[in-house]
Amino acid sequence: MKKYFLVLALFVGMSTYASDEVELVSGTVAMPAQTDDKDSDKEKKNYCISPHVGVGVGLATNLPEGLSFAPMRSWEIYFGLSYDYTPKDKLQTYSAGMGVSFRNFGTHSGKMLSKGGNYATITPDMTDMKSSIRVVSFSIPLLFTQKMGHKSPFRLTLGPVVNFNGTHINNHYSIGDDEYDVKTHKIGTRPVTVDILGILSFRALSVYCKYSPMSVLKNSSGMEFKSVSFGICF
């Protein structure tokens, strides 16, 4: 009896080992494909998903008469992911991504925005005033990257960024000991805009410049403007 158990155990063990080495297909024996570990690793590196973070300042351009923003109160932050494809032994990378950007265009001190492109009336008892147009966008960058050489740490990236936008006016001020944070929506948002993005990279550190030739706000809003932003990204 023990011999049967020994033979059965040996058979099961040999079958398990054999199943890892060969595969039975339609009554024939097919050996597993042999792959070179080095080639496999190199092929895997052709595709990757990369996280990105960017921080910068924005400058509003082509402003309508009477509207102005303070550069030090205008900023943007971006969080996103990209799918990057680099053909084997090539210096070019093609990327498609998605992310969320937050942009703030703040007015000069003593000015408070209101709907329709006008400044709201300010009373003497208002203090700690901050007024801005805030833009939140779901962004889809479609980028092309050129590496300067196989061993070069420098890369240049160019391409369009499609934005799906939402905007509001944010007014914050204090009267006495009370603080007020007033948001005004439906200010004439253009739902889809396209930016042009350029990035110069050295290893993991990059600097970017982005031009927004389309106003996020419609002409009927009275606050239409274009913008240029620049900063650092990773």
Side-chain angles (χ1 to χ4, degrees):
M1 214 40 198
K2 293 181 179 179
K3 292 182 180 179
Y4 291 112
F5 282 117
L6 182 60
V7 173
L8 181 61
L10 184 60
F11 177 80
V12 171
M14 292 179 65
S15 299
T16 303
Y17 175 78
S19 65
D20 293 335
E21 298 297 321
V22 299
E23 179 183 1
L24 293 175
V25 182
S26 301
T28 61
V29 178
M31 298 301 294
Q34 299 295 319
T35 59
D36 191 319
D37 291 340
K38 292 183 179 179
D39 290 342
S40 179
D41 290 341
K42 184 178 289 187
E43 196 67 28
K44 289 179 182 178
K45 292 181 181 178
N46 289 350
Y47 306 86
C48 67
I49 296 177
S50 307
H52 299 281
V53 178
V55 179
V57 296
L59 300 174
T61 64
N62 300 87
L63 289 160
E65 186 176 355
L67 183 66
S68 62
F69 296 103
M72 297 309 295
R73 293 186 178 184
S74 301
W75 48 263
E76 70 176 3
I77 301 174
Y78 174 79
F79 303 94
L81 293 171
S82 68
Y83 177 81
D84 310 317
Y85 167 66
T86 304
K88 186 177 179 180
D89 298 327
K90 299 296 183 181
L91 299 175
Q92 297 79 29
T93 298
Y94 306 89
S95 303
M98 63 178 63
V100 179
S101 67
F102 303 88
R103 288 180 280 177
N104 185 84
F105 297 93
T107 64
H108 294 276
S109 299
K111 299 204 173 200
M112 190 166 68
L113 291 167
S114 66
K115 195 170 182 177
N118 300 314
Y119 289 114
T121 301
I122 299 171
T123 60
D125 54 353
M126 290 182 176
T127 59
D128 299 327
M129 186 181 305
K130 296 177 182 177
S131 183
S132 63
I133 294 175
R134 293 188 176 176
V135 183
V136 180
S137 304
F138 175 74
S139 301
I140 300 178
L142 303 170
L143 305 176
F144 170 79
T145 299
Q146 176 69 51
K147 192 174 181 181
M148 301 308 178
H150 285 287
K151 296 184 179 180
S152 174
F154 289 98
R155 304 181 306 280
L156 179 63
T157 301
L158 294 170
V161 180
V162 182
N163 302 301
F164 300 88
N165 307 304
T167 64
H168 67 269
I169 295 173
N170 189 82
N171 289 324
H172 177 88
Y173 56 90
S174 299
I175 298 178
D177 295 331
D178 299 323
E179 292 187 0
Y180 298 87
D181 196 31
V182 181
K183 295 181 180 180
T184 304
H185 297 273
K186 296 182 180 180
I187 59 175
T189 306
R190 182 173 281 118
V192 181
T193 57
V194 179
D195 299 335
I196 301 172
L197 177 64
I199 304 173
L200 179 62
S201 303
F202 176 79
R203 301 191 190 281
L205 180 63
S206 303
V207 293
Y208 76 88
C209 180
K210 184 172 66 176
Y211 176 54
S212 303
M214 302 175 65
S215 173
V216 176
L217 298 174
K218 298 177 181 178
N219 294 341
S220 59
S221 70
M223 297 180 288
E224 69 279 5
F225 61 90
K226 302 174 183 178
S227 65
V228 177
S229 59
F230 53 91
I232 60 173
C233 56
F234 303 92

